[in-house]
Amino acid sequence: MDSIRVKGGNQLNGRIPISGAKNAALPLMIASLLTDDTLTLENVPHLADVEQLIRILGNHGVDYSVNGRREKQQEGYSRTINFSARQIVDTTAPYELVSKMRASFWVIGPLLARMGEAKVSLPGGCAIGTRPVDLFLDGLQALGAELDVESGYVVAKTKNGRLVGNRYVFPKVSVGATHVLMMAAALARGETVLENAAREPEIVNLAECLNAMGARITGAGTSTITIEGVDSLSGARHRVIPDRIETGTYAMAVAMTGGDVLLEGARVDLLQRAMDILAESGAEISQEEAGIRVRRNGNGVRAVDVTTEPFPGFPTDLQAQFMGLMTMASGQSKITETIFENRFMHVQELARLGARISLAGQTAIVEGVSRLKGAPVMATDLRASVSLVIAGLAAEGETTVSRIYHLDRGFERLEDKLSNCGAVVERLSG
Ligand code: EPZ
């Protein structure tokens, strides 16, 4: 199993190109199931999760080509990929595939809308919490789906071959359930109104793509989304937005080590709250034409309290990285996680580097220390693992992060991007 070795102590200076967003690319790829035409997606990041979803979609009959070539591109950053679901050959998403990546459960929406049936494995739990699917099931039922759960599978059918528009109020904000209901309602008969919908930029990116395919969606980015169903959707060409979590992660790395980095292609509007918090902690952030510039001149990091919230609040996917930063702040900060119930597994690993963190329910209390010291640590999930890398960049000596397959799920060429800015980071195989 590969690991990453970081020698801490260097500032970061230079440019980091921000990749296409994983969490936008995945639902966009799934949207290709809605049409027999070709959906061309630009700026798709080269990540393990994307490769895994390509395999899952292939099982349903989705063919793909990368920049005109069938094989995957080994080198280079984000790519253009054509997805073509001319014929859906299988409406079942098996446990072996869905259990590897939760987002693959989302195929249930387009399969049901286009084929009138779907049999999709329940995803099961995951490292950051139980993550149920009740909202997906309630919402699809509201659109007229008949659902059964049999032997770990959701078996879904439409009554007369088509879903029917309806009003659905989410009892809790869910990104995935909003994606799925928006895709399902795009091909339903009549109008659907989704209330208390997620407002994340990835929802807006999907709605824009669906509209380019012929859907009639308004209100994405607000908590009320209206979808006028259409009979069929066509192909389109659409660009994946820059990854706001990758942006925030590198911004926090610079805030932690000091230095001056241009995050190329990044947009402040995709993570305003996180940028405001970072500025409060002492970083200088400015939107420039080419991207976001982050600077810290070596002065200390100030402690700031943070609570994770749905967009436009502070994202849960940056909580671990921010905790990394706060371990070296002057004073105490409180970090409260409200989205997932078990997303503090990085606490014990950060403690191995000398961080002082105690947990009180859903709040981590971080007492800043003046220095961290390198140690072997273990990645437990995607965002937790990158928090260990950025803490390692600021720690004295050597930090080895093992189990970095988590990192490869969501960070494109992390070690190259950091090394190009002066960090000493290398991947060790085996
Ligand atoms: C998306 O997950 C992201 N994944 C997550 O990023 C992100 O942390 C999360 O949104 C919150 O922003 C992708 O986009 C692929 P939710 P999702 O449904 O859609 C509960 C990463 O590191 N809930 O918005 O699965 C749920 O348990 C990942 O890139 C129900 O109770 O998240 C959670 O507490 C991790 N019932 C809350 O809602 C349901 O039916 C929000 O989850 C669905 C969700």
Side-chain angles (χ1 to χ4, degrees):
M1 235 179 275
D2 288 4
S3 54
I4 277 187
R5 185 162 61 199
V6 181
K7 281 204 184 103
N10 287 6
Q11 287 202 341
L12 294 172
N13 285 292
R15 304 162 87 91
I16 297 181
I18 296 303
S19 299
K22 167 180 85 79
N23 289 348
L26 300 179
L28 288 166
M29 290 165 66
I30 290 173
S32 69
L33 288 168
L34 287 164
T35 175
D36 58 8
D37 224 339
T38 300
L39 177 63
T40 300
L41 297 177
E42 298 172 359
N43 202 30
V44 179
H46 196 215
L47 298 169
D49 270 10
V50 166
E51 300 307 315
Q52 177 68 18
L53 186 57
I54 286 177
R55 279 192 288 277
I56 290 166
L57 293 174
N59 188 53
H60 298 297
V62 180
D63 209 2
Y64 75 99
S65 59
V66 179
N67 289 340
R69 280 180 297 125
R70 177 70 176 74
E71 80 277 17
K72 74 179 188 198
Q73 199 170 287
Q74 292 297 342
E75 299 300 324
Y77 293 115
S78 300
R79 312 152 289 167
T80 296
I81 310 188
N82 306 308
F83 294 92
S84 173
R86 231 175 315 280
Q87 231 189 331
I88 302 288
V89 297
D90 196 342
T91 54
T92 299
Y95 179 61
E96 307 82 78
L97 295 179
V98 180
S99 58
K100 289 203 178 106
M101 191 178 50
R102 278 190 62 83
S104 57
F105 182 79
W106 300 353
V107 299
I108 194 167
L111 286 177
L112 194 55
R114 178 165 161 196
M115 306 302 290
E117 59 167 44
K119 183 177 170 189
V120 181
S121 169
L122 288 163
C126 77
I128 60 177
T130 51
R131 300 181 82 183
V133 293
D134 53 324
L135 305 177
F136 296 80
L137 305 187
D138 287 357
L140 290 171
Q141 270 171 328
L143 299 186
E146 291 176 337
L147 303 177
D148 275 315
V149 176
E150 289 169 15
S151 313
Y153 280 77
V154 179
V155 182
K157 279 197 206 69
T158 54
K159 279 186 198 120
N160 299 312
R162 201 160 169 199
L163 293 168
V164 183
N166 199 352
R167 175 169 175 267
Y168 181 70
V169 184
F170 289 97
K172 180 175 187 177
V173 178
S174 162
V175 175
T178 304
H179 280 315
V180 164
L181 289 191
M182 211 162 62
M183 288 192 273
L187 285 181
R189 194 181 322 117
E191 185 184 89
T192 298
V193 179
L194 302 176
E195 309 234 29
N196 197 27
R199 290 182 280 167
E200 270 66 4
E202 292 76 18
I203 301 284
V204 178
N205 204 215
L206 176 63
E208 284 171 355
C209 177
L210 293 171
N211 283 344
M213 293 164 74
R216 296 173 59 196
I217 302 174
T218 52
T222 73
S223 45
T224 304
I225 303 177
T226 304
I227 304 132
E228 190 63 54
V230 296
D231 293 340
S232 65
L233 293 171
S234 60
R237 190 177 183 93
H238 182 76
R239 192 170 173 80
V240 178
I241 51 171
D243 195 315
R244 63 194 169 100
I245 305 304
E246 189 194 28
T247 303
T249 300
Y250 290 124
M252 286 174 196
V254 179
M256 202 162 179
T257 61
D260 183 344
V261 171
L262 179 70
L263 302 172
E264 286 175 328
R267 282 168 41 193
V268 166
D269 62 304
L270 300 179
L271 74 165
Q272 188 68 57
R273 178 79 184 129
M275 292 291 112
D276 290 348
I277 295 276
L278 212 49
E280 247 183 88
S281 77
E284 285 176 50
I285 314 269
S286 52
Q287 177 78 63
E288 299 187 355
E289 210 176 306
I292 301 176
R293 186 162 172 202
V294 186
R295 275 170 289 183
R296 194 167 65 75
N297 57 12
N299 291 337
V301 178
R302 282 193 289 274
V304 183
D305 294 344
V306 148
T307 299
T308 63
E309 283 168 319
F311 191 85
F314 188 93
T316 173
D317 290 345
L318 284 174
Q319 180 257 107
Q321 299 88 314
F322 188 71
M323 195 182 298
L325 175 63
M326 287 298 103
T327 61
M328 290 186 70
S330 51
Q332 184 193 79
S333 66
K334 292 197 180 77
I335 300 179
T336 304
E337 172 60 52
T338 69
I339 309 291
F340 294 110
E341 75 269 25
N342 188 26
R343 211 174 194 184
F344 279 143
M345 286 155 311
H346 39 286
V347 166
Q348 291 313 318
E349 299 301 310
L350 287 169
R352 292 178 53 76
L353 301 176
R356 287 180 54 203
I357 308 169
S358 56
L359 287 178
Q362 290 298 92
T363 300
I365 299 150
V366 187
E367 301 287 347
V369 294
S370 56
R371 57 189 196 135
L372 296 177
K373 281 183 95 173
V377 288
M378 199 178 281
T380 47
D381 75 61
L382 168 58
R383 310 304 176 185
S385 49
V386 83
S387 77
L388 299 171
V389 174
I390 64 177
L393 292 174
E396 288 171 8
E398 212 171 86
T399 297
T400 310
V401 185
S402 55
R403 296 202 181 167
I404 51 140
Y405 54 86
H406 291 293
L407 268 182
D408 294 331
R409 290 187 39 220
F411 287 92
E412 193 174 48
R413 296 173 60 149
L414 172 104
E415 59 275 33
D416 292 348
K417 291 186 184 189
L418 287 172
S419 309
N420 289 343
C421 288
V424 183
V425 182
E426 60 178 331
R427 182 179 289 251
L428 310 171
S429 305

